């Protein structure tokens, strides 16, 4: 965990991609602070699979459309936090790009490139 904390404590740049496999990783205070700072600054944020756990932990889901891995309770947490869960290969909601799992990487990458290119 020390290495992870060091990574998360580095200054945010222009893009953050999250894939939190464990629920406890998503509730890390530095990770939550970085996610909030990116949303506040309207910087691109991306998540794959269980990554939306971080968005939920940071209270950034309400009123947003998201997707995620369909098991392990992730969709339930999204809807309980006020988000709308969709079963789609990729969902884009403002500065947020989310995919369900690694098999959706083509769609995820396409949408991330569009988002980043639009900010250049």
């Amino acid at each position: 965990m020390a290495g992870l904390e060091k990574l998360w404590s580095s200054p945010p740049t222009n893009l953050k991609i999250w894939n939190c496999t464990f629920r406890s990783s998503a509730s890390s205070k530095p990770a939550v602070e970085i996610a909030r700072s990116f949303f506040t600054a309207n910087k691109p944020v991306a998540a794959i699979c269980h990554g939306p756990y971080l968005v939920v932990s940071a209270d950034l889901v309400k009123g947003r459309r998201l997707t995620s891995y369909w098991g392990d309770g992730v969709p339930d947490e999204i809807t309980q936090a006020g988000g709308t869960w969709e079963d789609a290969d990729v969902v884009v909601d403002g500065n947020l790009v989310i995919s369900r799992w690694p098999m959706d990487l083509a769609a995820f990458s396409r949408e991330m490139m569009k988002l980043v290119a639009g900010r250049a």
Side-chain angles (χ1 to χ4, degrees), residues 23 25-28 32 36 52-61 77 81:
R23 186 68 175 100
S25 298
S27 60
S28 164
V32 167
R36 286 181 181 154
Y53 273 143
L54 176 62
V55 185
V56 169
S57 294
D59 296 321
L60 299 168
V61 171
E77 291 217 18

Side-chain angles (χ1 to χ4, degrees), residues 98-118:
I98 298 187
S99 284
R100 298 172 298 192
W101 65 325
M103 295 299 290
D104 295 332
L105 280 175
F108 174 82
S109 298
R110 179 190 68 235
E111 295 303 323
M112 277 305 303
M113 288 189 293
K114 286 182 191 176
L115 183 63
V116 173

Side-chain angles (χ1 to χ4, degrees), residues 60-78:
L60 299 168
V61 171
K62 190 172 184 173
R64 288 188 172 266
R65 297 172 26 256
L66 297 90
T67 192
S68 68
Y69 181 71
W70 51 89
D72 297 341
V74 186
D76 294 336
E77 291 217 18
I78 289 170

Side-chain angles (χ1 to χ4, degrees), residues 2 7 11 32 36 44 49 59 77 82 87 90-91 119:
L7 172 67
V32 167
R36 286 181 181 154
C49 205
D59 296 321
E77 291 217 18
D87 184 12
V90 65
V91 172
R119 295 168 180 269

Side-chain angles (χ1 to χ4, degrees), residues 17-28:
I17 299 176
W18 301 103
N19 182 11
C20 301
T21 304
F22 302 104
R23 186 68 175 100
S24 59
S25 298
S27 60
S28 164

Side-chain angles (χ1 to χ4, degrees), residues 82-103:
T84 301
W85 186 83
E86 298 177 11
D87 184 12
D89 58 352
V90 65
V91 172
V92 180
D93 189 320
N95 64 321
L96 179 63
V97 177
I98 298 187
S99 284
R100 298 172 298 192
W101 65 325
M103 295 299 290

